[in-house]
Amino acid sequence: MKKKVAIVCGGYSGEAEVSLSSGAMLMNNIDRARFDPVKVVITHSEWYAETEIGKTPINKADFSFSRDGAHFVPDVCYITIHGTPGEDGKLQGYFDMIGMPYSTGPLLNSAVTFNKLFTTRLLRQMGFNTAMGVLIREPADYDQTAVLKQLELPVFVKPNEGGSSLGASLVKEIGDLKPAVDKAFAVNKGVLIEEYLPGREFSCGVIRTPHGPMALQITEIKTKKEFFDYAAKYEYDQTEEITPADLPETLYKLCQLTSEQIFKAFGCGGVARIDYKLKGDQFYVIEINTTPGMTEMSLVPQQAAAMGISKKQLISMVLGYFEEGFSK
């Protein structure tokens, strides 16, 4: 029998539009000879499945809905929500409570990696390179003098929780620091101010397999913008994405190995993506993305394609890990 899969997208953040595009790509490319997919959209106001009769409400008691007059309960949920509640552990906790298998890592993996300060501190404790940063928890806590005692300009200012560089700024002048902090606070309660890392930017996807994490090919990101912000990520004329990246073999293998080590150390699941800056011959981790973009143009599908892995095969690899665990 085909395994019933809910492609869960949408969400409550400014990344919802990208998530819906990821959901569309997954629906368009999933192997329908093997899986029976349904798109499920989560918004602040409603949770619904897209069925032949239109929007069908989700029963939150077991994440079921009615389709073709039958009671449909997914065997597994492919979470492709970028931002809350699919990338911060909230949805994972709900699925744990109702016994629903899902594609990402568990609640703790999502909650920790969504918090940028916690992530960088853990990475440093584990021996990985990261930028130094200062956390401002509330607007009233902002002290420019204290910040500049710890960090030198230029700095990056960004929400401590969030993605797609929403609310992020590169600050070169003192007078621009407070407006950048205010901009980040408009997106999230906590704001992280980090040292600026010069150098080339790279990204490496990793997929979980029964034999352990497997790094995909590496992408170098060259943007016309000052940094890889939201526009650079999704307005494709702003950015050149080179896959596979032009790196010496030793550095290429180091980036892939580092990515696999981080994936395993943080308990990631499904597919994740780790972003880096290369400073000299050292990779500095920028971010761990536990529900990376899966649009037609996203980095992870590009990296898989460079290895001869189609979108259909990539999706099957993520879901195939659960094959023995399908129980409903």
Side-chain angles (χ1 to χ4, degrees):
M1 290 180 61
K2 295 181 184 180
K3 302 303 180 181
K4 300 188 292 294
V5 179
I7 305 295
V8 187
C9 55
Y12 307 155
S13 75
E15 297 178 87
E17 183 178 347
V18 179
S19 173
L20 292 172
S21 294
S22 291
M25 189 284 275
L26 295 169
M27 288 293 295
N28 290 338
N29 290 279
I30 194 169
D31 186 351
R32 291 176 182 264
R34 186 174 171 187
F35 304 108
D36 180 14
V38 178
K39 184 178 179 181
V40 174
V41 179
I42 290 178
T43 73
H44 274 299
S45 59
E46 57 184 344
W47 293 20
Y48 62 89
E50 294 187 351
T51 69
E52 71 287 345
I53 62 171
K55 293 182 180 181
T56 303
I58 296 292
N59 180 349
K60 295 180 183 178
D62 59 0
F63 207 69
S64 67
F65 53 93
S66 177
R67 191 180 76 164
D68 296 328
H71 185 65
F72 186 100
V73 182
D75 292 307
V76 66
C77 290
Y78 192 123
I79 302 174
T80 190
I81 292 178
H82 317 310
T84 189
E87 199 169 5
D88 56 2
K90 293 175 182 175
L91 196 56
Q92 288 80 0
Y94 158 71
F95 283 147
D96 286 341
M97 292 180 70
I98 65 171
M100 175 64 67
Y102 51 88
S103 60
T104 70
L107 186 158
L108 185 61
N109 162 251
S110 300
V112 169
T113 55
F114 198 66
N115 186 302
K116 294 179 173 59
L117 183 69
F118 287 173
T119 300
T120 55
R121 285 179 174 175
L122 282 172
L123 284 165
R124 283 199 295 273
Q125 289 177 7
M126 294 174 179
F128 300 103
N129 300 316
T130 68
M132 300 302 294
V134 176
L135 179 66
I136 312 298
R137 295 191 180 278
E138 301 288 344
D141 296 335
Y142 174 70
D143 184 334
Q144 181 171 288
T145 302
V147 170
L148 294 177
K149 280 184 178 180
Q150 299 181 65
L151 301 172
E152 295 182 357
L153 295 176
V155 294
F156 270 113
V157 179
K158 54 189 178 183
N160 188 45
E161 297 182 353
S164 293
S165 299
L166 289 168
S169 303
L170 173 60
V171 176
K172 299 178 180 179
E173 304 291 337
I174 293 177
D176 296 329
L177 187 55
K178 179 61 165 57
V181 170
D182 292 340
K183 176 183 175 182
F185 268 122
V187 175
N188 185 255
K189 293 180 181 178
V191 172
L192 185 61
I193 305 176
E194 286 187 329
E195 66 174 318
Y196 170 70
L197 294 173
R200 298 162 68 188
E201 186 165 344
F202 297 90
S203 183
C204 183
V206 183
I207 188 167
R208 178 173 58 179
T209 77
H211 308 292
M214 182 186 77
L216 302 176
Q217 295 287 1
I218 301 167
T219 301
E220 180 173 7
I221 299 159
K222 295 182 177 181
T223 177
K224 298 175 184 177
K225 309 277 286 187
E226 281 195 306
F227 67 99
F228 197 40
D229 62 6
Y230 186 90
K233 284 180 169 73
Y234 303 114
E235 296 173 11
Y236 297 104
D237 61 338
Q238 300 291 320
T239 302
E240 184 182 7
E241 297 167 352
I242 303 167
T243 309
D246 182 14
L247 279 169
E249 184 178 2
T250 53
L251 287 179
Y252 204 100
K253 289 182 176 178
L254 174 62
C255 185
Q256 288 182 312
L257 177 61
T258 301
S259 300
E260 290 174 349
Q261 290 173 335
I262 291 171
F263 187 100
K264 186 174 182 178
F266 278 79
C268 297
V271 62
R273 199 190 74 234
I274 296 95
D275 300 336
Y276 302 91
K277 274 295 190 73
L278 179 61
K279 185 178 178 183
D281 61 354
Q282 298 291 316
F283 286 98
Y284 283 71
V285 183
I286 302 173
E287 192 169 4
I288 303 172
N289 302 277
T290 56
T291 60
M294 291 292 283
T295 72
E296 295 288 349
M297 300 297 292
S298 289
L299 294 178
V300 166
Q302 288 183 44
Q303 294 167 1
M307 299 175 70
I309 300 171
S310 69
K311 294 182 180 74
K312 180 184 289 186
Q313 291 170 322
L314 177 63
I315 298 164
S316 293
M317 289 173 72
V318 173
L319 293 173
Y321 184 89
F322 297 89
E323 203 74 67
E324 297 301 321
F326 286 126
S327 59
K328 292 184 175 62

